[in-house]
Amino acid sequence: MPHPGARTPVSAPPYPAQEPHAASPGGERTAPDPALSWSAPLTPGGSPGATRPVVSFGEPEGYDGDARPRPLRRREVSQAAAAAVCLVLGLGLISGAATGSWLVGDSDAAGSRTAYGAAAGLWHNVPVDRLFPPTVQGRGAGPGGADRSWTRVAVAPDSGCKDAFDPLLRKALAPVGCERLLRATYTDATESHVTTVGLLFTTADAPGMTALANRFRKERLDRRSDLMPLPYAAKGTPAAGFGAAQRASWTVSVLTEAPVVVYAVSGWADGRTVDDPQPAEDAMAADAATAAGQAGLGHEAQGLADRLERDLRRNARSATEQPS
């Protein structure tokens, strides 16, 4: 006799006598008996109920990584919530990055303006020996990567630009104005070559310098022999005979981050004239067949100009870093 309160065992429904959808004796196919459904309630005693089963639909289930059932609806809700959180965080990161970029851009622009202003005052704020060092080392600056060394032999008094350039070059530089012109002449270690380097401090703002730089680049004004800079000769030095007719190679660089035009022009120290001067870029080519190219005078002009331009930028940075 069962113990009071014990649950009555429930037996599984008997296997149907005929296959679902089996044909009836009349040849017609019949629907499966609802009473034999796995969802049909069972009567006490284990017999299928005689009434039509009531079927209710629960939440659909999925399976997690351990093959355990999990309601799909909750998973969808969780996924939707996670997606919403990701969207909010993503928008926050994007806006934060944009704001940071904007702030950095402002900082960079302010720094550029400060450096530009500092560079404009270098001609009277920096000693001559820092703008034109007594000796300049040019490691790898010569033909084939050979080292070069230059010694300053003359420094011109700072002046305006009157009579400092040939007429066509003076006209080309006129849009940026002339605040001060500083010049110095150097000789190589053998005193066989001489090179004048010039720093033209202009009165132009940054857009003005950019416009001039673009014009020089587009029209290739820095390669025209009728726009060569003039040398600076000084009596009693190896550059005493360095005049307009002795110019052999040159370079002109219009800076955009400073109101300065840097140039250099080179020639022989023995006063020989040159009939075919050549831009430094061409004279430095491996196949240059001109006298200037063969003598390495393109390397003299470009190498010295590059190093003094580098010093100029360094002096401008130092000026901006000094406490006010």
Side-chain angles (χ1 to χ4, degrees):
M1 180 175 179
H3 187 277
R7 295 181 62 183
T8 303
V10 179
S11 61
Y15 192 84
Q18 61 179 14
E19 293 292 329
H21 298 281
S24 64
E28 298 177 353
R29 300 185 67 84
T30 60
D33 184 355
L36 300 179
S37 170
W38 287 104
S39 300
L42 300 178
T43 60
S47 300
T51 59
R52 183 182 181 88
V54 178
V55 181
S56 62
F57 295 92
E59 293 182 348
E61 292 184 337
Y63 296 90
D64 60 15
D66 296 324
R68 295 174 296 191
R70 182 169 58 186
L72 292 179
R73 178 172 179 80
R74 294 179 183 174
R75 184 179 181 183
E76 292 171 356
V77 172
S78 299
Q79 289 178 337
V85 171
C86 290
L87 176 61
V88 173
L89 290 176
L91 291 175
L93 289 173
I94 292 173
S95 61
T99 302
S101 176
W102 177 67
L103 292 175
V104 170
D106 273 1
S107 177
D108 289 345
S112 297
R113 288 192 296 269
T114 301
Y116 190 92
L122 290 179
W123 66 270
H124 61 77
N125 292 332
V126 176
V128 65
D129 284 350
R130 285 175 55 188
L131 293 175
F132 298 118
T135 59
V136 177
Q137 299 301 321
R139 181 171 299 176
D147 294 341
R148 280 288 188 269
S149 177
W150 298 281
T151 300
R152 191 184 69 198
V153 295
V155 176
D158 64 276
S159 65
C161 294
K162 183 180 180 180
D163 301 326
F165 301 108
D166 285 337
L168 285 180
L169 182 56
R170 183 169 62 247
K171 183 178 180 180
L173 296 174
V176 295
C178 176
E179 177 68 23
R180 273 297 188 276
L181 175 63
L182 308 182
R183 294 170 293 171
T185 298
Y186 288 78
T187 184
D188 69 324
T190 64
E191 295 190 357
S192 56
H193 302 147
V194 286
T195 303
T196 292
V197 185
L199 302 176
L200 167 62
F201 287 82
T202 75
T203 59
D205 56 11
M209 294 300 293
T210 299
L212 182 65
N214 289 338
R215 185 189 173 199
F216 263 71
R217 184 181 65 256
K218 292 178 181 178
E219 300 180 23
R220 308 188 76 179
L221 300 184
D222 57 335
R223 304 173 66 84
R224 286 177 45 173
S225 60
D226 56 351
L227 295 177
M228 272 193 300
L230 287 170
Y232 173 69
K235 294 180 179 180
T237 71
F242 190 22
Q246 284 71 40
R247 294 175 292 182
S249 190
W250 77 96
T251 181
V252 178
S253 177
V254 181
L255 306 188
T256 56
E257 70 277 22
V260 181
V261 177
V262 181
Y263 67 83
V265 56
S266 61
W268 279 275
D270 59 9
R272 77 182 71 174
T273 59
V274 179
D275 296 327
D276 54 349
Q278 192 174 28
E281 183 178 350
D282 293 344
M284 292 171 63
D287 59 350
T290 62
Q294 293 292 315
L297 287 170
H299 291 81
E300 297 289 315
Q302 191 68 62
L304 194 51
D306 285 347
R307 280 149 185 82
L308 293 189
E309 181 179 323
R310 190 182 307 161
D311 288 345
L312 179 75
R313 297 176 192 273
R314 187 182 300 114
N315 286 320
R317 286 195 301 269
S318 297
T320 60
E321 294 168 359
Q322 292 176 357
S324 58

